[in-house]
Amino acid sequence: MDDYPLLNVFWTMLWFFLWIMWLFLLFKVITDIFRDHSLNGWAKAGWLIFCIVLPYLGVLVYVIARGKSMGARDVKQARESEAAFQDYIRKAAKTPEGGGGGATAELARLAELKEKGAITPEEFEKAKAKVLA
């Protein structure tokens, strides 16, 4: 370790970190090429070959030429994922926004109908057993 100075260790770590960052960017560009619905098959193949044959130049040109639309697609996908997640939560929780109400709301509705005299106590007990089952 004496023949490898500390500054060289830092430089090696920096270059390794930059290389890993570039790999992440390369994979991001490749996934964006396949995710973009505005490109036809030949355009996707051309960008992919360009990024594989001349990786540094291909990624740089892709980010310069299509970086803005790449960001817009990321934002759109994040919004769609968030909306799907919120919809799933509403359905799972059966909140009034999700169209349900859950067992508690159903029991409260049954108790209200019983108090109003719309259903008999026997009907209330049958419906309660059905909801709780």
Side-chain angles (χ1 to χ4, degrees):
M1 189 71 180
D2 293 333
D3 59 338
Y4 202 66
L6 185 61
L7 186 60
N8 286 353
V9 172
F10 288 132
W11 273 112
T12 303
M13 289 172 46
L14 175 71
W15 282 111
F16 182 71
F17 176 72
L18 291 174
W19 182 70
I20 295 295
M21 280 181 36
W22 180 82
L23 279 177
F24 273 101
L25 183 60
L26 175 68
F27 291 129
K28 179 75 172 165
V29 165
I30 289 174
T31 56
D32 187 67
I33 289 170
F34 287 109
R35 184 177 57 179
D36 188 6
H37 297 296
S38 66
L39 290 176
N40 62 19
W42 289 106
K44 287 180 184 185
W47 276 112
L48 190 61
I49 290 170
F50 188 38
C51 287
I52 290 174
V53 172
L54 299 169
Y56 292 107
L57 184 63
V59 168
L60 180 66
V61 170
Y62 186 86
V63 170
I64 290 170
R66 302 185 51 83
K68 195 171 191 177
S69 62
M70 189 166 99
R73 280 186 293 280
D74 281 342
V75 169
K76 180 182 174 194
Q77 183 181 12
R79 286 184 182 149
E80 288 172 355
S81 296
E82 180 66 23
F85 179 68
Q86 292 296 331
D87 188 46
Y88 170 76
I89 288 175
R90 283 189 198 99
K91 287 180 182 176
K94 295 197 181 214
T95 61
E97 296 87 15
T104 310
E106 185 68 23
L107 287 174
R109 189 180 63 81
L110 286 171
E112 186 178 317
L113 288 173
K114 180 183 157 194
E115 289 173 9
K116 290 181 180 178
I119 59 173
T120 64
E122 294 82 24
E123 292 172 330
F124 172 75
E125 289 302 323
K126 286 181 187 177
K128 180 178 145 185
K130 185 178 176 183
V131 168
L132 294 176

